[in-house]
Amino acid sequence: MSDLYVSWSDYHRTVERLAVQIYKSQWEFDEIICLARGGLRVGDTLSRIFNCPLAILSTASYGGREGREQGVVIVSRSLSMTTPQLGQRLLIVDDLVDSGDSLKAVLAWLYDHYGQHISELRTAVLWCKACATFTPDYYVRYLEDNPWIHQPFEAYEKMDLSSFSEDE
């Protein structure tokens, strides 16, 4: 498996390219649901660009050695949102589609819990891997060689706070 290293500037530029792609589609949505953790930064930025409410749904599927083993997809029991009711036209946002299992599980969860409110739903990610069994509506880069993506915020996962002084 190859590796793709993404800098902060590349990351932000990719999120902006995703925003332009969504804008050019002229599709209007009521609310963004970002999938935490990977989709948090993407969702927050798109929420600000489109001046649209943001809801958060936590998911997890990776663990094991160095967090590279995909297991069962876990979807949180509830959706965190500040609106009194979920919008009808939803944009579901994550950082990437790897196998596609997480997005499939999230869509099933949303229809199961909020199906009566949803009139239209689309998905958007930064990267779509060729091995994915789910193709999002919007994505910036198609990754034919299915690399492991090293995102800039992953440095915090290895941060040792004991080496910092309060003066820093």
Side-chain angles (χ1 to χ4, degrees):
M1 176 185 297
S2 63
D3 292 280
L4 173 63
Y5 290 89
V6 180
S7 69
W8 277 113
S9 60
D10 288 342
Y11 182 85
H12 292 298
R13 197 169 25 258
T14 304
V15 174
E16 292 163 0
R17 288 179 60 199
L18 181 62
V20 169
Q21 188 181 124
I22 295 165
Y23 173 77
K24 285 184 175 182
S25 78
Q26 298 183 338
W27 182 62
E28 294 183 20
F29 48 93
D30 305 310
E31 195 157 359
I32 294 171
I33 298 176
C34 69
L35 305 185
R37 289 188 321 186
L40 279 171
R41 288 166 188 83
V42 181
D44 175 60
T45 304
L46 294 179
S47 173
R48 293 169 190 275
I49 291 170
F50 290 103
N51 191 26
C52 184
L54 178 67
I56 301 168
L57 185 62
S58 293
T59 62
S61 65
Y62 279 91
R65 203 184 87 214
E66 296 183 22
R68 289 187 176 210
E69 295 176 25
Q70 189 169 21
V72 175
V73 178
I74 299 168
V75 180
S76 65
R77 289 184 296 213
S78 60
L79 181 63
S80 176
M81 58 186 171
T82 57
T83 55
Q85 183 174 310
L86 188 64
Q88 294 182 339
R89 293 180 320 275
L90 304 172
L91 179 63
I92 312 305
V93 176
D94 204 356
D95 54 351
L96 62 99
V97 173
D98 195 342
S99 67
D101 293 346
S102 292
L103 270 175
K104 287 179 190 175
V106 164
L107 295 181
W109 186 94
L110 283 168
Y111 281 115
D112 187 44
H113 289 81
Y114 294 95
Q116 69 276 15
H117 299 290
I118 300 170
S119 66
E120 190 173 2
L121 185 146
R122 292 189 187 180
T123 55
V125 300
L126 304 177
W127 302 284
C128 179
K129 293 186 180 184
C131 62
T133 60
F134 180 92
T135 304
D137 297 287
Y138 307 100
Y139 59 90
V140 178
R141 288 191 57 197
Y142 180 78
L143 302 172
E144 208 164 293
D145 58 342
N146 303 307
W148 185 262
I149 303 170
H150 300 270
Q151 299 187 56
F153 46 81
E154 291 173 7
Y156 295 117
E157 295 170 5
K158 295 176 177 73
M159 181 179 267
D160 179 9
L161 294 175
S162 66
S163 66
F164 285 86
S165 71
E166 290 185 36
D167 296 337
E168 291 186 59

